[in-house]
Amino acid sequence: MHVFTRRPWDPDRQRLTPPEVFANRGHHRRAFLAELASGALGVTCGAIAGCGRPDEQTVRKAGAVPGIDQTLARFYPAPRNPAFRYERPETRRRDAAEFCNFYEFTGPYTKAVWRYVDRFQPLPWQLRIDGLCSRPTTLDVDALHARFRLEERAYRHRCVETWAMCVPWTGFPLAELLRRVEPLPRARYVRFVTASRPEQMPYLRDEPTLPWPYTEGLTLAEATNPLTFLALGVYGEPLLKQHGAPVRLVVPWKYGFKSIKSLVRIELTDSRPATFWNTVAPHEYDFTANVDPEVPHPRWPQTTEWMLGTRERYPTQPFNGYGRWVADLYH
Ligand SMILES: Nc1nc2c(c(=O)[nH]1)N[C@H]1C(S)=C(S)[C@@H](COP(=O)(O)O)O[C@H]1N2
Ligand SMILES: [Mo]
C-alpha cells in the first residue's frame, strides 16, 4: 500500500512556475504548453503549434555555462579509456541534452529542463569534501580539472523510469578524490549534496515541501569502486547545466537517480545517510538501487529499457551490464 495518496510528483499536483513568469519570454510559454500537451496529457505533438524539436545548437546554447569554455578548453577532449564500451549506439548529444531529469528545475518535466536552466550560474563553484576524514578540502572547478588525471568513459545510463542513454563522460574516479582526503577507519558511507538555490532553480519554489537539497549516498566500498566516476564533462565538453554542471556523480550500475548532479558537498559518515528519493517514496526507491530486471518498480516492470532519441528497446541487464565490475560488492 502506498503511503501517499497524491504523490507530490504526480501530474495533478504540478505547480511548475509558468515560463512566462519565470523567464518572461513568449516562446517559452508555447513550448511549455506543447510539452504539457504531448507529455502530460497524451496528445500527439504534431497537432500542436510550436512543438517542433529544438536543434542541437539551441539546447547546447541554453545549457552552456557562461565563461567555462575559455578557461577549461585545454582539458578537452580527454583521452578515452578503452576499457569501457557501450555495446550499442551512442546517444546523440542533442537527444541527451534535450531530455533530462533534474527535479530542481522542472520536477517531472524531463523535456523542459533545458528551457529552465537560464538563471542557474554555476561559476564560481566550490565542492567541499569533509566529514570523517583526516584531510577535508574544498575544490573549485579549476582545481577539479587540474589536479586529477581526466579521462573519457563510454557508459550506459539507466533511469529507474526505463529510459536509457549511452554517453561519454569526462572526469576521474571518485576513489582518487576520496583517497586524498584520507577517510578515517570508522567512515562507512559517503553522502552527496546538490546545490540548493531557489532563486536559480524554479522547482525548489514550486514544491518547497520536497526534502531539498537533493541528496544521495553510497557505501564507502561502492564509492571507491573503480566504476564510480566524478564527471566534469560530457561529449568532450564541460557539462551543460541540464546535465549537472559543473560536477556530478556517475554510478552506471545503479538507477540514474543515484547519479546526483551539481554537487556542492561530499561527506564521509559512519551511518547510512538519508537520501532524497528514498525519503520521498521509500517503497519505490531503495537506498541501494542497483539496476535489476527481476525487481519491478511498484508501478511498472523493469525488464526492458528504451534509448533516448531512437526509442530502441533493449532487455535490462543486471547491474546495467556492469556485474563483472561490482558483483563482489554484494556477496
Ligand atoms: N540533483 C539532482 N541530481 C539528479 C537528479 C535530480 O533530479 N536532481 N535526477 C537524477 C535522475 S533520476 C537521473 S535519470 C539522472 C539524469 O541525468 P541526465 O539528465 O544528465 O541524463 O540524473 C540524476 N541526478
Ligand atoms: Mo532517473
Side-chain angles (χ1 to χ4, degrees), residues 84-110:
F84 303 99
R85 304 165 63 106
Y86 303 126
E87 279 143 19
R88 59 182 83 164
E90 181 167 276
T91 301
R92 285 180 306 171
R93 188 199 308 250
R94 193 276 303 265
D95 294 329
E98 185 197 1
F99 188 112
C100 285
N101 187 302
F102 205 162
Y103 246 69
E104 285 85 334
F105 293 94
T106 58
Y109 294 113
T110 45

Side-chain angles (χ1 to χ4, degrees), residues 102 104-105 120 125 191-197 201 204 212-216 244-245 247-248 259-266:
F102 205 162
E104 285 85 334
F105 293 94
F120 181 37
W125 194 268
R191 174 175 177 260
F192 302 89
V193 185
T194 292
S196 171
R197 301 180 178 179
M201 299 169 155
L204 266 53
W212 313 111
Y214 192 104
T215 49
E216 259 307 332
V247 54
R248 73 174 289 171
S259 292
I260 180 173
K261 296 174 168 182
S262 301
L263 281 170
V264 291
R265 188 171 178 205
I266 297 176

Side-chain angles (χ1 to χ4, degrees), residues 55-69 97-98 100 102 105 113-122 234 237-246 262:
D55 62 19
E56 176 167 322
Q57 280 318 314
T58 306
V59 287
R60 276 168 84 185
K61 242 175 93 183
V65 176
I68 206 165
D69 284 327
E98 185 197 1
C100 285
F102 205 162
F105 293 94
V113 179
W114 67 273
R115 300 179 196 277
Y116 280 81
V117 293
D118 48 330
R119 294 208 176 170
F120 181 37
Q121 292 295 341
V234 68
E237 292 178 355
L239 288 173
L240 298 177
K241 296 179 194 177
Q242 59 265 45
H243 284 309
S262 301

